[in-house]
Amino acid sequence: MLMAANSAAQILPAVAAPLITRIYDPRQFGIMAVVLAAFGILAPIACLRYDIAIVLPEREEEAAQIAALSLAIPTGLATVLTMLLVVAEHLALQNRIQLVVPSLLEMLPAGIFLLGFQLTAHAWSLRIHHFRLVALATFFQALITIVVQLALGRILAPTVSTLVIGSLCGYAVASLIYAPLLIRAVLPSLRAHATAKGIVAALRQYRRFPLITGPYAFLGQFSVRGAFFVIGIWMPPSIVGQYALAQRVAFLPVSTASTALGQIFYSRASRRLDEPKTNDVVHTILRVSPWIIGPFFLLLAFFGTHLFGFVFGARWIQAGQFAAILAGASLLKTSTSWLDRVFDIRSRQHIALTLEFAFAALALVAMDVVLGRTHNANAAVAAYALGVGVFFLVWATVAIKVANFNSRIIFDYLASTVCMGATMTIAYTLLHWLRAPLSGQVALTVLLAATLCALGFRQMRTRIAAAG
């Protein structure tokens, strides 16, 4: 259910993207990308990660104390952000910053407030295994965002403000969907159990979440979204917009498959990580997932420039080049990033924090250095993509070790990924050598990708069913 909802939530923007890119230009996309990057960096710490801890306690009384924290913290953060941005708007700032501050003021305070409400209800839904509600909120948030952005862009004018309003409407609708749960389950639990003494106790008991998991999540977002700021320092907003579209498409499966897998894995493994079945399921997913999702990443690497020009319009060809460069890194991230909950379950968040800090520093510094020396955006994106790929290989290896899973898992994953890549590359090279027309190359490569995906999915279902 979560996989379907997350898939739909990503497919809707993907389907609407050709319309969006014909209404909004790369410059508007670039400014909005910086705004969403700032929001995305702050979003994981909207509740200081206390929302994640709601799932863990056995007793509802303890969960209620944590939920009270999760609802109070975003309200304070939104208030502080409003004051800071109002002051920033009235200061004499650099020209490029002046372009972004009004949109930040529109997006950040209201967005953080709504997000805090949503994260708390989301975590409570996972706690009680109410996955249908999570699925509905995820789907309708994406749908309303796209509908409002398209409608306002056509009816009023295509501006950054209409993009911001669309995003806020999506968060508002998701909050409304969660409202019945909050009213019927969370608030009564708060009234019955939440006390000042209990909240302070929860604040201390789960302090590792704001002290370690929070900075880790912040760095995780900064390592991804910080690229917008780095590119924005050296390049005009239009290039930021090109990269934003490329990243959205190239990392689409991360939000689809990895988010759903991460939610399910955390919900089920939080108390059953040491069961042999968990090891078997993780082994199966890592070994088979490259065959299910990998072929489509290679399609992007092979034909990204042509596809972007055809689907999104001629002015977005640069985005196709970026997407082709990012494809391999996105494959590695999609198939391994869902293991991040292992560090929470084992209370080893400091390891994840150290890894994330090293990655954020190295990847973004590499991108900045390449841009500063060459002013070549493609080379800078390639340096960043290499950093992403290496990081997630290391990440998966460490996560497997922390979980005390069989170390063979990571070797099988690598072997599976290499075999899949070789299969697709040989087929593509053969078609190119035979000088097949571009349309024929695309059609036959898509057919091969779909075949490999179907075989991989069948294998995964069989193995997971056998594991019980």
Side-chain angles (χ1 to χ4, degrees):
M1 190 182 299
L2 288 177
M3 181 71 78
N6 279 284
S7 298
Q10 298 304 316
I11 289 171
L12 283 173
V15 171
L19 301 176
I20 291 285
T21 55
R22 284 168 171 80
I23 295 175
Y24 298 93
D25 61 39
R27 180 179 178 277
Q28 293 165 337
F29 243 72
I31 295 173
M32 184 60 182
V34 173
V35 171
L36 289 180
F39 179 78
I41 290 170
L42 292 174
I45 58 172
C47 300
L48 295 182
R49 304 305 276 175
Y50 278 112
D51 57 292
I52 293 178
I54 292 173
V55 181
L56 297 178
E58 294 282 356
R59 298 186 304 112
E60 184 176 320
E61 293 86 345
E62 190 174 344
Q65 318 296 342
I66 308 170
L69 279 171
S70 296
L71 289 171
I73 292 168
T75 304
L77 180 58
T79 304
V80 171
L81 283 172
T82 302
M83 294 187 293
L84 290 176
L85 289 170
V86 168
V87 172
E89 193 175 28
H90 288 84
L91 294 176
L93 298 171
Q94 185 182 350
N95 187 42
R96 287 188 182 179
I97 300 177
Q98 285 179 329
L99 292 174
V100 178
V101 171
S103 299
L104 288 173
L105 187 56
E106 293 174 357
M107 179 72 190
L108 292 189
I112 290 295
F113 177 79
L114 290 171
L115 181 63
F117 181 98
Q118 186 175 334
L119 288 174
T120 303
H122 174 97
W124 201 278
S125 299
L126 293 180
R127 176 180 174 80
I128 62 175
H129 295 176
H130 197 340
F131 298 120
R132 183 181 299 276
L133 192 63
V134 176
L136 287 173
T138 301
F139 173 76
F140 280 102
Q141 178 177 345
L143 176 63
I144 296 302
T145 297
I146 291 299
V147 168
V148 173
Q149 288 176 342
L150 288 173
L152 294 182
R154 283 294 188 187
I155 297 172
L156 299 178
T159 65
V160 179
S161 291
T162 55
L163 288 170
V164 169
I165 292 170
S167 295
L168 288 176
C169 287
Y171 280 102
V173 167
S175 298
L176 288 175
I177 291 173
Y178 280 123
L181 174 74
L182 193 79
I183 294 170
R184 297 171 187 170
V186 180
L187 291 182
S189 183
L190 293 182
R191 284 194 293 266
H193 306 297
T195 63
K197 184 178 179 180
I199 292 172
V200 171
L203 191 71
R204 293 174 178 171
Q205 181 177 353
Y206 293 92
R207 62 183 179 276
R208 70 182 185 273
F209 286 90
L211 294 179
I212 298 178
T213 308
Y216 155 70
F218 177 86
L219 287 171
Q221 288 297 318
F222 188 79
S223 63
V224 174
R225 300 176 187 270
F228 296 112
F229 300 111
V230 174
I231 295 174
I233 291 172
W234 296 99
M235 297 288 173
S238 59
I239 298 298
V240 181
Q242 298 278 357
Y243 178 78
L245 180 62
Q247 193 210 49
R248 174 183 292 187
V249 174
F251 287 95
L252 173 67
V254 177
S255 299
T256 306
S258 184
T259 301
L261 282 172
Q263 291 170 350
I264 295 168
F265 177 72
Y266 188 50
S267 175
R268 301 297 183 184
S270 58
R271 302 182 186 93
R272 289 179 280 178
L273 188 63
D274 294 315
E275 291 183 3
K277 290 180 181 179
T278 304
N279 179 92
D280 294 340
V281 169
V282 170
H283 193 175
T284 296
I285 292 172
L286 285 178
R287 182 165 54 184
V288 180
S289 60
W291 294 93
I292 297 176
I293 61 176
F296 298 100
F297 286 101
L298 292 187
L299 283 172
L300 190 61
F302 297 152
F303 306 111
T305 302
H306 301 289
L307 290 174
F308 271 67
F310 175 75
V311 174
F312 302 111
R315 61 184 178 180
W316 295 96
I317 288 178
Q318 176 80 58
Q321 296 174 9
F322 290 155
I325 295 169
L326 292 169
S330 184
L331 166 59
L332 295 173
K333 182 175 182 178
T334 302
S335 52
T336 61
S337 61
W338 55 276
L339 289 167
D340 63 347
R341 298 304 193 189
V342 165
F343 299 99
D344 291 327
I345 296 170
R346 292 293 193 201
S347 298
R348 305 291 290 276
Q349 293 97 330
H350 62 283
I351 297 177
L353 177 60
T354 302
L355 290 172
E356 198 65 60
F357 178 79
F359 165 58
L362 293 175
L364 295 179
V365 167
M367 174 179 266
D368 184 70
V369 169
V370 172
L371 273 174
R373 292 186 176 181
T374 67
H375 290 276
N376 185 322
N378 283 1
V381 173
Y384 176 76
L386 178 63
V388 173
V390 171
F391 168 74
F392 277 100
L393 286 177
V394 174
W395 168 269
T397 303
V398 175
I400 294 297
K401 184 175 179 59
V402 169
N404 293 326
F405 293 150
N406 191 329
S407 59
R408 180 185 169 185
I409 291 176
I410 196 66
F411 295 104
D412 286 349
Y413 166 70
L414 286 172
S416 183
T417 302
V418 169
C419 289
M420 178 279 303
T423 302
M424 290 291 295
T425 303
I426 290 170
Y428 169 74
T429 303
L430 181 61
L431 289 170
H432 194 69
W433 180 72
L434 293 173
R435 297 186 179 181
L438 180 61
S439 58
Q441 292 182 35
V442 173
L444 291 173
T445 311
V446 168
L447 179 61
L448 175 60
T451 302
L452 295 177
C453 175
L455 292 173
F457 187 73
R458 181 179 178 182
Q459 181 78 352
M460 181 177 286
R461 288 188 62 183
T462 302
R463 289 185 174 276
I464 290 180

